[in-house]
Short mmCIF file of all heavy atoms in Angstrom, two decimals:
data_model
loop_
_atom_site.label_atom_id
_atom_site.label_comp_id
_atom_site.label_asym_id
_atom_site.label_seq_id
_atom_site.Cartn_x
_atom_site.Cartn_y
_atom_site.Cartn_z
N LYS O 174 -64.87 22.23 87.05
CA LYS O 174 -64.99 23.65 86.71
C LYS O 174 -63.64 24.30 86.49
O LYS O 174 -63.49 25.20 85.67
CB LYS O 174 -65.73 24.39 87.83
CG LYS O 174 -67.19 23.98 87.94
CD LYS O 174 -67.89 24.81 89.01
CE LYS O 174 -69.15 24.11 89.48
NZ LYS O 174 -68.96 23.44 90.79
N GLU O 175 -62.67 23.85 87.24
CA GLU O 175 -61.35 24.50 87.15
C GLU O 175 -60.65 24.14 85.85
O GLU O 175 -60.83 23.04 85.29
CB GLU O 175 -60.47 24.05 88.33
CG GLU O 175 -60.96 24.55 89.68
CD GLU O 175 -60.76 26.05 89.85
OE1 GLU O 175 -60.09 26.67 88.99
OE2 GLU O 175 -61.30 26.60 90.84
N LEU O 176 -59.82 25.10 85.40
CA LEU O 176 -59.09 24.87 84.15
C LEU O 176 -57.95 23.87 84.34
O LEU O 176 -57.14 23.99 85.27
CB LEU O 176 -58.52 26.19 83.64
CG LEU O 176 -59.49 27.11 82.91
CD1 LEU O 176 -58.80 28.41 82.55
CD2 LEU O 176 -60.04 26.42 81.66
N GLY O 177 -57.93 22.91 83.47
CA GLY O 177 -56.82 21.95 83.48
C GLY O 177 -55.75 22.38 82.49
O GLY O 177 -55.61 23.57 82.18
N ILE O 178 -55.05 21.40 81.99
CA ILE O 178 -53.99 21.72 81.01
C ILE O 178 -54.50 21.35 79.61
O ILE O 178 -55.48 20.60 79.49
CB ILE O 178 -52.70 20.93 81.32
CG1 ILE O 178 -53.00 19.42 81.34
CG2 ILE O 178 -52.11 21.38 82.64
CD1 ILE O 178 -51.78 18.56 81.22
N PRO O 179 -53.87 21.87 78.58
CA PRO O 179 -54.23 21.40 77.23
C PRO O 179 -53.84 19.93 77.09
O PRO O 179 -52.71 19.56 77.46
CB PRO O 179 -53.39 22.27 76.29
CG PRO O 179 -52.86 23.39 77.12
CD PRO O 179 -52.80 22.88 78.52
N LEU O 180 -54.75 19.14 76.62
CA LEU O 180 -54.45 17.72 76.40
C LEU O 180 -54.17 17.53 74.92
O LEU O 180 -54.96 17.92 74.08
CB LEU O 180 -55.63 16.85 76.83
CG LEU O 180 -55.95 16.85 78.32
CD1 LEU O 180 -57.30 16.21 78.59
CD2 LEU O 180 -54.86 16.13 79.11
N ARG O 181 -53.02 16.97 74.63
CA ARG O 181 -52.69 16.74 73.21
C ARG O 181 -52.81 15.25 72.95
O ARG O 181 -52.01 14.46 73.44
CB ARG O 181 -51.26 17.20 72.91
CG ARG O 181 -51.01 18.69 73.06
CD ARG O 181 -51.77 19.57 72.13
NE ARG O 181 -51.66 19.21 70.73
CZ ARG O 181 -52.16 19.93 69.72
NH1 ARG O 181 -52.82 21.05 69.96
NH2 ARG O 181 -52.03 19.53 68.49
N LEU O 182 -53.83 14.89 72.18
CA LEU O 182 -54.08 13.47 71.94
C LEU O 182 -53.90 13.09 70.48
O LEU O 182 -54.08 11.94 70.10
CB LEU O 182 -55.50 13.11 72.41
CG LEU O 182 -55.78 13.52 73.87
CD1 LEU O 182 -57.24 13.27 74.24
CD2 LEU O 182 -54.87 12.76 74.84
N GLU O 183 -53.53 14.05 69.67
CA GLU O 183 -53.26 13.74 68.26
C GLU O 183 -51.97 14.43 67.86
O GLU O 183 -51.61 15.48 68.39
CB GLU O 183 -54.40 14.25 67.37
CG GLU O 183 -55.62 13.36 67.40
CD GLU O 183 -56.78 13.97 66.63
OE1 GLU O 183 -56.72 13.91 65.40
OE2 GLU O 183 -57.69 14.51 67.27
N ALA O 184 -51.30 13.85 66.88
CA ALA O 184 -49.99 14.38 66.49
C ALA O 184 -50.11 15.65 65.65
O ALA O 184 -49.18 16.45 65.61
CB ALA O 184 -49.20 13.33 65.71
N ASP O 185 -51.21 15.82 64.96
CA ASP O 185 -51.34 16.94 64.02
C ASP O 185 -51.22 18.28 64.74
O ASP O 185 -52.08 18.65 65.54
CB ASP O 185 -52.69 16.84 63.31
CG ASP O 185 -52.84 17.88 62.23
OD1 ASP O 185 -51.95 18.76 62.13
OD2 ASP O 185 -53.84 17.84 61.50
N PHE O 186 -50.16 19.01 64.41
CA PHE O 186 -49.95 20.27 65.13
C PHE O 186 -50.85 21.39 64.63
O PHE O 186 -50.80 22.49 65.14
CB PHE O 186 -48.48 20.70 65.11
CG PHE O 186 -47.86 20.73 63.75
CD1 PHE O 186 -48.15 21.75 62.87
CD2 PHE O 186 -46.97 19.73 63.36
CE1 PHE O 186 -47.58 21.78 61.62
CE2 PHE O 186 -46.41 19.75 62.11
CZ PHE O 186 -46.71 20.77 61.23
N ASN O 187 -51.62 21.10 63.62
CA ASN O 187 -52.57 22.12 63.16
C ASN O 187 -53.81 22.20 64.05
O ASN O 187 -54.56 23.16 63.99
CB ASN O 187 -52.98 21.84 61.73
CG ASN O 187 -51.81 22.01 60.78
OD1 ASN O 187 -51.13 23.03 60.79
ND2 ASN O 187 -51.52 20.98 59.99
N ILE O 188 -54.02 21.15 64.87
CA ILE O 188 -55.16 21.18 65.78
C ILE O 188 -54.84 22.15 66.91
O ILE O 188 -53.83 22.02 67.58
CB ILE O 188 -55.43 19.78 66.36
CG1 ILE O 188 -55.75 18.81 65.20
CG2 ILE O 188 -56.56 19.81 67.39
CD1 ILE O 188 -55.85 17.37 65.62
N PRO O 189 -55.67 23.17 67.09
CA PRO O 189 -55.37 24.17 68.11
C PRO O 189 -55.43 23.59 69.53
O PRO O 189 -56.20 22.65 69.80
CB PRO O 189 -56.43 25.25 67.91
CG PRO O 189 -57.40 24.73 66.93
CD PRO O 189 -56.92 23.45 66.37
N SER O 190 -54.62 24.15 70.39
CA SER O 190 -54.62 23.68 71.79
C SER O 190 -55.61 24.50 72.60
O SER O 190 -55.70 25.72 72.43
CB SER O 190 -53.23 23.89 72.40
OG SER O 190 -52.24 23.38 71.56
N HIS O 191 -56.31 23.86 73.48
CA HIS O 191 -57.16 24.59 74.41
C HIS O 191 -57.12 23.88 75.74
O HIS O 191 -56.79 22.70 75.82
CB HIS O 191 -58.59 24.69 73.88
CG HIS O 191 -59.26 23.35 73.77
ND1 HIS O 191 -59.19 22.58 72.62
CD2 HIS O 191 -59.96 22.62 74.68
CE1 HIS O 191 -59.84 21.43 72.83
NE2 HIS O 191 -60.31 21.43 74.07
N ARG O 192 -57.43 24.62 76.78
CA ARG O 192 -57.33 24.03 78.13
C ARG O 192 -58.55 23.16 78.42
O ARG O 192 -59.69 23.56 78.17
CB ARG O 192 -57.20 25.14 79.17
CG ARG O 192 -55.92 25.95 78.98
CD ARG O 192 -55.73 26.93 80.10
NE ARG O 192 -55.42 26.26 81.36
CZ ARG O 192 -54.95 26.88 82.44
NH1 ARG O 192 -54.77 28.18 82.41
NH2 ARG O 192 -54.70 26.22 83.54
N SER O 193 -58.29 21.98 78.95
CA SER O 193 -59.37 21.11 79.40
C SER O 193 -59.71 21.51 80.84
O SER O 193 -59.18 22.48 81.36
CB SER O 193 -58.92 19.66 79.34
OG SER O 193 -57.80 19.49 80.20
N THR O 194 -60.59 20.75 81.49
CA THR O 194 -60.81 20.97 82.91
C THR O 194 -59.87 20.07 83.69
O THR O 194 -59.28 19.14 83.14
CB THR O 194 -62.26 20.64 83.30
OG1 THR O 194 -62.46 19.23 83.07
CG2 THR O 194 -63.25 21.45 82.49
N VAL O 195 -59.75 20.37 84.98
CA VAL O 195 -58.89 19.54 85.81
C VAL O 195 -59.39 18.10 85.79
O VAL O 195 -58.61 17.14 85.70
CB VAL O 195 -58.86 20.09 87.25
CG1 VAL O 195 -58.14 19.13 88.18
CG2 VAL O 195 -58.18 21.46 87.27
N GLU O 196 -60.69 17.95 85.80
CA GLU O 196 -61.29 16.62 85.78
C GLU O 196 -60.87 15.87 84.51
O GLU O 196 -60.40 14.74 84.55
CB GLU O 196 -62.83 16.74 85.85
CG GLU O 196 -63.57 15.41 85.87
CD GLU O 196 -63.35 14.60 87.14
OE1 GLU O 196 -63.17 15.21 88.20
OE2 GLU O 196 -63.32 13.35 87.07
N GLU O 197 -61.04 16.56 83.37
CA GLU O 197 -60.67 15.94 82.09
C GLU O 197 -59.19 15.59 82.07
O GLU O 197 -58.79 14.53 81.59
CB GLU O 197 -60.97 16.90 80.94
CG GLU O 197 -62.45 16.99 80.59
CD GLU O 197 -62.78 18.19 79.70
OE1 GLU O 197 -61.97 19.13 79.58
OE2 GLU O 197 -63.87 18.18 79.13
N THR O 198 -58.38 16.50 82.59
CA THR O 198 -56.94 16.26 82.61
C THR O 198 -56.63 14.96 83.34
O THR O 198 -55.95 14.07 82.82
CB THR O 198 -56.22 17.43 83.30
OG1 THR O 198 -56.48 18.62 82.57
CG2 THR O 198 -54.73 17.20 83.37
N TYR O 199 -57.16 14.85 84.56
CA TYR O 199 -56.82 13.67 85.36
C TYR O 199 -57.47 12.41 84.80
O TYR O 199 -56.88 11.32 84.85
CB TYR O 199 -57.16 13.90 86.83
CG TYR O 199 -56.07 14.70 87.52
CD1 TYR O 199 -56.04 16.08 87.48
CD2 TYR O 199 -55.02 14.04 88.18
CE1 TYR O 199 -55.03 16.81 88.07
CE2 TYR O 199 -54.00 14.75 88.78
CZ TYR O 199 -54.00 16.15 88.72
OH TYR O 199 -52.98 16.85 89.30
N GLN O 200 -58.69 12.54 84.28
CA GLN O 200 -59.33 11.36 83.71
C GLN O 200 -58.54 10.83 82.52
O GLN O 200 -58.38 9.63 82.35
CB GLN O 200 -60.79 11.67 83.29
CG GLN O 200 -61.76 11.77 84.45
CD GLN O 200 -61.61 10.62 85.45
OE1 GLN O 200 -61.38 9.46 85.10
NE2 GLN O 200 -61.71 10.94 86.74
N GLN O 201 -58.03 11.76 81.72
CA GLN O 201 -57.23 11.32 80.56
C GLN O 201 -55.96 10.61 81.02
O GLN O 201 -55.58 9.58 80.47
CB GLN O 201 -56.88 12.53 79.69
CG GLN O 201 -56.13 12.18 78.41
CD GLN O 201 -56.96 11.28 77.49
OE1 GLN O 201 -58.14 11.55 77.25
NE2 GLN O 201 -56.36 10.18 77.04
N ILE O 202 -55.34 11.17 82.05
CA ILE O 202 -54.10 10.55 82.56
C ILE O 202 -54.40 9.15 83.06
O ILE O 202 -53.69 8.18 82.75
CB ILE O 202 -53.50 11.43 83.68
CG1 ILE O 202 -53.00 12.75 83.10
CG2 ILE O 202 -52.39 10.70 84.42
CD1 ILE O 202 -52.74 13.85 84.13
N ILE O 203 -55.49 9.02 83.82
CA ILE O 203 -55.85 7.72 84.38
C ILE O 203 -56.21 6.73 83.27
O ILE O 203 -55.77 5.58 83.28
CB ILE O 203 -57.00 7.89 85.39
CG1 ILE O 203 -56.47 8.63 86.63
CG2 ILE O 203 -57.59 6.56 85.77
CD1 ILE O 203 -57.56 9.19 87.51
N THR O 204 -56.99 7.21 82.29
CA THR O 204 -57.38 6.33 81.20
C THR O 204 -56.15 5.80 80.48
O THR O 204 -56.02 4.60 80.21
CB THR O 204 -58.26 7.10 80.19
OG1 THR O 204 -59.29 7.75 80.92
CG2 THR O 204 -58.85 6.18 79.15
N ASP O 205 -55.24 6.71 80.14
CA ASP O 205 -54.03 6.28 79.43
C ASP O 205 -53.24 5.28 80.26
O ASP O 205 -52.76 4.27 79.74
CB ASP O 205 -53.14 7.50 79.12
CG ASP O 205 -53.62 8.27 77.90
OD1 ASP O 205 -54.56 7.79 77.22
OD2 ASP O 205 -53.06 9.35 77.61
N LEU O 206 -53.12 5.57 81.55
CA LEU O 206 -52.31 4.68 82.39
C LEU O 206 -52.97 3.32 82.55
O LEU O 206 -52.29 2.29 82.55
CB LEU O 206 -52.08 5.33 83.77
CG LEU O 206 -51.02 6.44 83.80
CD1 LEU O 206 -51.02 7.12 85.16
CD2 LEU O 206 -49.63 5.88 83.49
N LYS O 207 -54.28 3.31 82.67
CA LYS O 207 -54.95 2.02 82.82
C LYS O 207 -54.81 1.18 81.56
O LYS O 207 -54.57 -0.02 81.63
CB LYS O 207 -56.44 2.24 83.15
CG LYS O 207 -56.67 2.62 84.61
CD LYS O 207 -58.15 2.75 84.91
CE LYS O 207 -58.38 3.00 86.40
NZ LYS O 207 -59.77 3.38 86.67
N LYS O 208 -54.96 1.88 80.41
CA LYS O 208 -54.78 1.15 79.14
C LYS O 208 -53.36 0.63 79.03
O LYS O 208 -53.10 -0.47 78.57
CB LYS O 208 -55.06 2.09 77.95
CG LYS O 208 -56.49 2.01 77.45
CD LYS O 208 -56.57 2.72 76.09
CE LYS O 208 -57.72 3.70 76.05
NZ LYS O 208 -57.55 4.73 75.04
N ALA O 209 -52.41 1.47 79.47
CA ALA O 209 -51.01 1.06 79.41
C ALA O 209 -50.78 -0.15 80.31
O ALA O 209 -50.12 -1.11 79.91
CB ALA O 209 -50.11 2.22 79.83
N ALA O 210 -51.35 -0.09 81.52
CA ALA O 210 -51.15 -1.19 82.46
C ALA O 210 -51.70 -2.50 81.90
O ALA O 210 -51.18 -3.57 82.18
CB ALA O 210 -51.82 -0.86 83.80
N GLU O 211 -52.73 -2.40 81.08
CA GLU O 211 -53.31 -3.59 80.47
C GLU O 211 -52.34 -4.26 79.51
O GLU O 211 -52.21 -5.47 79.50
CB GLU O 211 -54.55 -3.19 79.66
CG GLU O 211 -55.87 -3.48 80.33
CD GLU O 211 -57.00 -2.86 79.54
OE1 GLU O 211 -57.06 -3.10 78.31
OE2 GLU O 211 -57.79 -2.09 80.14
N VAL O 212 -51.71 -3.46 78.67
CA VAL O 212 -50.93 -4.06 77.59
C VAL O 212 -49.43 -4.16 77.88
O VAL O 212 -48.73 -4.93 77.22
CB VAL O 212 -51.13 -3.29 76.25
CG1 VAL O 212 -52.56 -3.44 75.78
CG2 VAL O 212 -50.75 -1.82 76.40
N LEU O 213 -48.96 -3.41 78.84
CA LEU O 213 -47.52 -3.45 79.10
C LEU O 213 -47.11 -4.81 79.65
O LEU O 213 -47.90 -5.49 80.30
CB LEU O 213 -47.11 -2.34 80.08
CG LEU O 213 -46.98 -0.95 79.46
CD1 LEU O 213 -46.79 0.10 80.54
CD2 LEU O 213 -45.82 -0.90 78.47
N PRO O 214 -45.90 -5.23 79.40
CA PRO O 214 -45.46 -6.56 79.84
C PRO O 214 -45.24 -6.60 81.34
O PRO O 214 -44.94 -5.59 81.97
CB PRO O 214 -44.15 -6.76 79.09
CG PRO O 214 -43.64 -5.37 78.87
CD PRO O 214 -44.84 -4.51 78.68
N ILE O 215 -45.43 -7.80 81.89
CA ILE O 215 -45.05 -8.01 83.29
C ILE O 215 -43.58 -8.35 83.28
O ILE O 215 -43.20 -9.48 83.03
CB ILE O 215 -45.85 -9.17 83.91
CG1 ILE O 215 -47.33 -8.99 83.63
CG2 ILE O 215 -45.56 -9.30 85.40
CD1 ILE O 215 -48.17 -10.21 83.97
N ALA O 216 -42.76 -7.34 83.42
CA ALA O 216 -41.33 -7.59 83.41
C ALA O 216 -40.77 -7.04 84.71
O ALA O 216 -41.23 -6.02 85.22
CB ALA O 216 -40.68 -6.89 82.24
N THR O 217 -39.81 -7.74 85.26
CA THR O 217 -39.25 -7.23 86.50
C THR O 217 -38.21 -6.18 86.17
O THR O 217 -37.41 -6.34 85.26
CB THR O 217 -38.56 -8.36 87.29
OG1 THR O 217 -37.55 -8.91 86.47
CG2 THR O 217 -39.54 -9.41 87.72
N PRO O 218 -38.23 -5.10 86.92
CA PRO O 218 -37.25 -4.05 86.67
C PRO O 218 -35.84 -4.45 87.06
O PRO O 218 -34.92 -3.63 87.03
CB PRO O 218 -37.77 -2.88 87.50
CG PRO O 218 -38.68 -3.46 88.51
CD PRO O 218 -39.18 -4.76 87.96
N ILE O 219 -35.64 -5.72 87.47
CA ILE O 219 -34.28 -6.19 87.72
C ILE O 219 -33.50 -6.11 86.41
O ILE O 219 -32.33 -5.76 86.36
CB ILE O 219 -34.28 -7.66 88.20
CG1 ILE O 219 -35.14 -7.80 89.45
CG2 ILE O 219 -32.87 -8.18 88.42
CD1 ILE O 219 -34.54 -7.26 90.70
N ASN O 220 -34.22 -6.44 85.33
CA ASN O 220 -33.63 -6.32 84.00
C ASN O 220 -33.49 -4.84 83.69
O ASN O 220 -34.46 -4.09 83.69
CB ASN O 220 -34.56 -7.01 82.99
CG ASN O 220 -34.02 -6.94 81.58
OD1 ASN O 220 -33.30 -6.01 81.23
ND2 ASN O 220 -34.38 -7.93 80.79
N ASN O 221 -32.30 -4.43 83.41
CA ASN O 221 -32.00 -3.01 83.23
C ASN O 221 -32.90 -2.35 82.19
O ASN O 221 -33.35 -1.22 82.36
CB ASN O 221 -30.53 -2.84 82.86
CG ASN O 221 -30.09 -1.40 82.99
OD1 ASN O 221 -30.47 -0.72 83.94
ND2 ASN O 221 -29.33 -0.94 82.03
N ILE O 222 -33.16 -3.07 81.09
CA ILE O 222 -33.98 -2.48 80.01
C ILE O 222 -35.32 -2.05 80.56
O ILE O 222 -35.84 -1.00 80.21
CB ILE O 222 -34.16 -3.52 78.88
CG1 ILE O 222 -32.84 -3.69 78.14
CG2 ILE O 222 -35.27 -3.11 77.93
CD1 ILE O 222 -32.86 -4.78 77.11
N TYR O 223 -35.87 -2.86 81.46
CA TYR O 223 -37.22 -2.55 81.96
C TYR O 223 -37.21 -1.55 83.11
O TYR O 223 -38.21 -1.35 83.77
CB TYR O 223 -37.97 -3.85 82.30
CG TYR O 223 -38.29 -4.59 81.02
CD1 TYR O 223 -37.61 -5.73 80.65
CD2 TYR O 223 -39.26 -4.09 80.16
CE1 TYR O 223 -37.88 -6.37 79.45
CE2 TYR O 223 -39.54 -4.71 78.96
CZ TYR O 223 -38.85 -5.86 78.61
OH TYR O 223 -39.12 -6.47 77.42
N LYS O 224 -36.07 -0.96 83.33
CA LYS O 224 -36.08 0.22 84.18
C LYS O 224 -36.32 1.47 83.33
O LYS O 224 -36.75 2.49 83.83
CB LYS O 224 -34.73 0.36 84.90
CG LYS O 224 -34.54 -0.67 85.99
CD LYS O 224 -33.30 -0.40 86.77
CE LYS O 224 -33.22 -1.33 87.95
NZ LYS O 224 -31.97 -2.10 87.98
N TYR O 225 -35.99 1.34 82.05
CA TYR O 225 -36.17 2.47 81.15
C TYR O 225 -37.46 2.36 80.36
O TYR O 225 -38.14 3.34 80.10
CB TYR O 225 -34.97 2.59 80.20
CG TYR O 225 -33.71 2.98 80.93
CD1 TYR O 225 -32.84 2.03 81.46
CD2 TYR O 225 -33.41 4.32 81.14
CE1 TYR O 225 -31.71 2.40 82.16
CE2 TYR O 225 -32.26 4.71 81.83
CZ TYR O 225 -31.41 3.74 82.35
OH TYR O 225 -30.29 4.11 83.04
N ARG O 226 -37.75 1.13 79.92
CA ARG O 226 -39.02 0.92 79.25
C ARG O 226 -40.07 0.71 80.32
O ARG O 226 -39.86 -0.06 81.25
CB ARG O 226 -38.95 -0.35 78.41
CG ARG O 226 -38.30 -0.16 77.07
CD ARG O 226 -38.43 -1.45 76.30
NE ARG O 226 -37.79 -1.34 75.01
CZ ARG O 226 -37.57 -2.37 74.21
NH1 ARG O 226 -37.95 -3.60 74.60
NH2 ARG O 226 -37.01 -2.20 73.05
N PRO O 227 -41.24 1.35 80.17
CA PRO O 227 -42.27 1.15 81.18
C PRO O 227 -42.79 -0.29 81.18
O PRO O 227 -42.80 -0.96 80.16
CB PRO O 227 -43.38 2.11 80.77
CG PRO O 227 -42.96 2.75 79.51
CD PRO O 227 -41.60 2.30 79.14
N THR O 228 -43.19 -0.72 82.37
CA THR O 228 -43.76 -2.07 82.53
C THR O 228 -45.11 -1.93 83.23
O THR O 228 -45.51 -0.84 83.63
CB THR O 228 -42.85 -2.92 83.43
OG1 THR O 228 -42.69 -2.23 84.68
CG2 THR O 228 -41.50 -3.16 82.80
N LYS O 229 -45.76 -3.07 83.40
CA LYS O 229 -47.03 -3.09 84.11
C LYS O 229 -46.87 -2.52 85.53
O LYS O 229 -47.70 -1.74 85.99
CB LYS O 229 -47.53 -4.55 84.17
CG LYS O 229 -49.04 -4.69 84.02
CD LYS O 229 -49.47 -6.13 84.14
CE LYS O 229 -49.70 -6.84 82.80
NZ LYS O 229 -50.69 -6.23 81.93
N VAL O 230 -45.79 -2.93 86.19
CA VAL O 230 -45.56 -2.45 87.55
C VAL O 230 -45.44 -0.93 87.57
O VAL O 230 -46.01 -0.25 88.43
CB VAL O 230 -44.25 -3.03 88.14
CG1 VAL O 230 -44.22 -2.85 89.64
CG2 VAL O 230 -44.08 -4.48 87.75
N ALA O 231 -44.69 -0.41 86.61
CA ALA O 231 -44.48 1.03 86.56
C ALA O 231 -45.80 1.75 86.34
O ALA O 231 -46.07 2.78 86.96
CB ALA O 231 -43.49 1.38 85.44
N ALA O 232 -46.64 1.20 85.45
CA ALA O 232 -47.93 1.84 85.18
C ALA O 232 -48.79 1.85 86.43
O ALA O 232 -49.44 2.86 86.75
CB ALA O 232 -48.64 1.12 84.04
N ASN O 233 -48.79 0.74 87.17
CA ASN O 233 -49.56 0.70 88.41
C ASN O 233 -48.99 1.66 89.45
O ASN O 233 -49.74 2.34 90.15
CB ASN O 233 -49.58 -0.73 88.97
CG ASN O 233 -50.49 -1.64 88.14
OD1 ASN O 233 -51.51 -1.18 87.61
ND2 ASN O 233 -50.11 -2.90 87.99
#
Side-chain angles (χ1 to χ4, degrees):
Chain O
K174 292 184 201 102
E175 292 289 351
L176 280 176
I178 57 162
L180 294 168
R181 296 296 308 186
L182 306 174
E183 282 174 76
D185 186 353
F186 52 75
N187 293 309
I188 300 172
S190 311
H191 65 270
R192 297 186 69 166
S193 61
T194 64
V195 172
E196 181 68 32
E197 284 166 343
T198 299
Y199 279 85
Q200 285 313 321
Q201 184 62 48
I202 293 164
I203 290 164
T204 309
D205 280 353
L206 283 172
K207 282 183 175 169
K208 266 194 229 158
E211 258 171 51
V212 294
L213 281 171
I215 310 169
T217 59
I219 303 286
N220 180 332
N221 193 41
I222 288 174
Y223 291 106
K224 288 187 173 125
Y225 292 90
R226 278 186 182 170
T228 57
K229 218 182 261 301
V230 196
N233 287 326

